[in-house]
């Protein structure tokens, strides 16, 4: 069960959920309403994603209530904001320089994004308090050097917890990058993760 929050403090140029960032939309739900909706589905796994779910004002309360009902909780976050959430796994996706929208909308959000996209103290704090994984979106081979620089600053990162995902919105784009990304993952000791929803359903909302 996916719970997607709307609203984000970043503006990734390749964002695949613009309805939660560039042009946020949605309706307001209180934690009890969300919990009742989750109960309708036959699963014990909940993924809270966004936008940036750590911006949601009642995220701490929501995660605590879900945990009380014995759900396995994963939180997907860019790790720019820390809150004392309850979860089984925090899946952090620190944004590389390839995400900065220098040209999109005439660079309106570029400097804001560049100033907020990487918060190493927040990442380190999540690593200290939670089971974690680090997921990086890769577009070019040079991105691997940038990832290594980040890992060196964080220190003691378990490389088995570093996941690499290709940037792409179509099967063709993903296929073009997959082979060299897999080869570099082997070289660096990282894990490769496919964009399964695009492979199965294409780039469409609700998957």
């Amino acid at each position: 069960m996916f719970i997607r929050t709307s609203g984000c403090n970043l503006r990734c140029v390749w964002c695949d959920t613009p309805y939660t960032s560039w042009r946020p939309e949605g309706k307001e739900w209180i934690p009890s309403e969300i919990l009742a909706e989750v109960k309708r589905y036959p699963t014990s796994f909940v993924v809270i994603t966004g936008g940036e779910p750590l911006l949601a004002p009642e995220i701490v309360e929501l995660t605590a209530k879900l945990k009380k009902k014995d759900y396995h909780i994963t939180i997907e976050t860019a790790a720019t904001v820390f809150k004392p959430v309850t979860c089984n796994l925090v899946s952090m996706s620190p944004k590389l320089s390839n995400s900065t929208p220098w040209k999109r909308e005439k660079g309106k959000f570029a400097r804001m994004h560049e100033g907020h996209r990487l918060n190493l103290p927040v990442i380190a704090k999540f690593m200290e308090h939670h089971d974690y994984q680090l997921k990086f979106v890769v577009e070019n081979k040079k991105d691997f050097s940038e990832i290594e620089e980040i890992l060196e600053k964080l220190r003691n990162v378990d490389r088995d917890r570093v996941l690499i995902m290709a940037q792409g919105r179509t099967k063709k784009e993903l296929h073009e990058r997959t082979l060299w990304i897999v080869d570099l993952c082997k070289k660096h000791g990282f894990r490769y993760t496919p964009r399964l929803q695009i492979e199965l359903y294409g780039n469409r909302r609700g998957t």
Side-chain angles (χ1 to χ4, degrees):
M1 174 69 178
F2 275 76
I3 300 171
R4 186 179 295 282
T5 67
S6 188
C8 190
N9 58 345
L10 300 178
R11 292 293 183 274
C12 297
V13 65
W14 35 252
C15 179
D16 61 355
T17 56
Y19 51 89
T20 68
S21 58
W22 287 86
R23 297 171 185 82
E25 59 184 69
K27 61 180 182 179
E28 292 189 9
W29 293 61
I30 61 175
S32 59
E33 291 174 326
I34 296 173
L35 196 62
E37 182 70 12
V38 171
K39 287 179 181 178
R40 296 179 53 221
Y41 294 84
T43 182
S44 58
F45 291 88
V46 173
V47 178
I48 303 176
T49 186
E52 175 48 70
L54 273 298
L55 296 178
E58 295 175 289
I59 187 67
V60 174
E61 178 187 350
L62 174 62
T63 59
K65 288 185 174 182
L66 287 167
K67 192 61 182 175
K68 193 172 289 187
K69 297 294 183 180
D70 292 326
Y71 285 101
H72 181 285
I73 306 164
T74 298
I75 295 181
E76 294 188 333
T77 174
T80 60
V81 179
F82 183 86
K83 286 183 181 178
V85 291
T86 304
C87 67
N88 300 86
L89 175 68
V90 57
S91 179
M92 293 179 279
S93 183
K95 299 301 181 273
L96 302 177
S97 57
N98 64 33
S99 66
T100 304
W102 292 112
K103 296 180 180 180
R104 183 168 173 175
E105 295 194 11
K106 299 181 179 179
K108 178 181 178 181
F109 296 102
R111 295 197 180 281
M112 177 277 290
H113 177 94
E114 188 66 15
H116 290 89
R117 68 177 173 82
L118 191 62
N119 192 323
L120 294 175
V122 168
I123 297 171
K125 196 168 183 178
F126 274 122
M127 290 172 57
E128 180 183 351
H129 290 88
H130 296 281
D131 192 10
Y132 72 91
Q133 63 185 26
L134 292 167
K135 184 170 62 177
F136 294 95
V137 177
V138 165
E139 193 168 46
N140 301 292
K141 293 181 179 180
K142 66 180 181 179
D143 292 338
F144 278 83
S145 297
E146 189 174 344
I147 292 169
E148 289 288 3
E149 291 174 5
I150 293 172
L151 299 184
E152 186 175 345
K153 292 175 182 177
L154 288 170
R155 299 179 183 178
N156 300 318
V157 175
D158 183 349
R159 298 177 85 84
D160 284 342
R161 297 171 183 256
V162 178
L163 280 63
I164 306 299
M165 174 183 289
Q167 195 286 109
R169 300 184 187 183
T170 67
K171 294 180 183 179
K172 182 176 182 294
E173 286 179 318
L174 295 176
H175 179 72
E176 289 172 348
R177 295 188 172 116
T178 293
L179 291 180
W180 63 260
I181 287 178
V182 168
D183 286 341
L184 285 174
C185 281
K186 293 176 181 177
K187 179 180 178 180
H188 289 263
F190 301 151
R191 293 162 59 194
Y192 169 76
T193 179
R195 305 198 69 186
L196 187 59
Q197 78 278 17
I198 290 179
E199 292 181 13
L200 293 177
Y201 305 109
N203 182 27
R204 61 186 178 91
R205 189 165 170 174
T207 59

